[in-house]
Each structure stands twice: as C-alpha cells, then as structure tokens.
Amino acid sequence: QVQLAESGGGLVQAGGSLRLSCVVSGRAASDVDMGWFRQAAGKEREVVARFSRISGRTYYPDAVKGRITISIDVAKNTQHLQMNSLKPEDTAVYYCAARVIGCEANECLLPGQYDYWGQGTQVTVSS
C-alpha cells in the first residue's frame, strides 16, 4: 500500500516560484512511478509532470516545460515539484499520484492510470 502526503501550495505572484512536496509511504520514492496533475476550476485534471521508475526519465507537457522540474529526495522519501515563472493560468489544485507498475515517462498521462493519490494542494497565482 502506498500513501502520498502533499504540501507546499499557496498564493504567489506571477513570475514567482513554489515547491510542492509529496512524501511517499509504503515504498521508496524512487521506486514508484509518479505523476503530478493539476485541476483548475471547471476543467479536467491534466498531467504536468511524470517520473518513470523504470527509466528514471521525466516528462513535461509543453504548457509547463522549462518551468517545472521533478526531483527526488531519497533520504526523505519525497518527490518535489519545483515550479518557476508561475503564471495565473497555473492556478489549480495540484496532486501527486503514484502507480506501482512502471511505464515510460511519456506514457501513463491519464488520471485513471494511477492507483494512489495525494490529497491535493491549492496553488493560486495572482496577476
């Protein structure tokens, strides 16, 4: 059983930065396939970052590429999502999600493909 606990959301001005954290319990953080998703009001949940446990590679969609980075703190069994140059359109609830069976970084981009979810954390970017 994997449990995920998120933290790090908040209110930030456009151009600012936030770092979200997802503490992994039940497995090593480097041994789970992780997806980071966001869901803005009235919109579908969408992927913003992927970490593949079978290749160690990451994937970022064009909307966030160059502004968002996944990192893993092995000692704290935590994955981080560093978000820079934030824009008002990045405002959403952000979720980390995990699946035990690995897939390539540019695969498993849909919410339904994940087994475990964090509780979500609100990110609000003001203009």
Side-chain angles (χ1 to χ4, degrees):
Q1 186 79 4
V2 175
Q3 292 183 321
L4 307 173
E6 294 182 64
S7 62
L11 173 64
V12 64
Q13 288 187 331
S17 299
L18 282 175
R19 189 177 78 160
L20 308 184
S21 299
C22 182
V23 178
V24 181
S25 302
R27 290 181 79 100
S30 58
D31 199 33
V32 292
D33 233 61
M34 188 72 78
W36 288 85
F37 291 81
R38 68 184 179 188
Q39 187 165 19
K43 296 188 177 181
E44 293 186 351
R45 197 168 294 190
E46 61 178 357
V47 69
V48 296
R50 275 269 305 132
F51 168 78
S52 168
R53 75 173 189 87
I54 59 175
S55 67
R57 294 191 180 99
T58 54
Y59 163 85
Y60 307 97
D62 289 343
V64 302
K65 192 177 293 182
R67 301 190 295 120
I68 285 183
T69 306
I70 287 178
S71 63
I72 299 176
D73 185 333
V74 174
K76 296 182 179 180
N77 217 38
T78 300
Q79 289 205 13
H80 299 290
L81 189 73
Q82 179 67 42
M83 304 190 295
N84 301 322
S85 302
L86 284 164
K87 305 175 182 180
E89 52 262 45
D90 294 320
T91 295
V93 178
Y94 283 71
Y95 300 89
C96 59
R99 45 179 288 136
V100 175
I101 298 175
C103 48
E104 289 298 336
N106 61 349
E107 298 175 344
C108 301
L109 304 181
L110 300 176
Q113 295 174 297
Y114 288 79
D115 306 306
Y116 306 100
W117 288 84
Q119 77 279 13
T121 186
Q122 177 71 45
V123 171
T124 303
V125 184
S126 63
S127 57

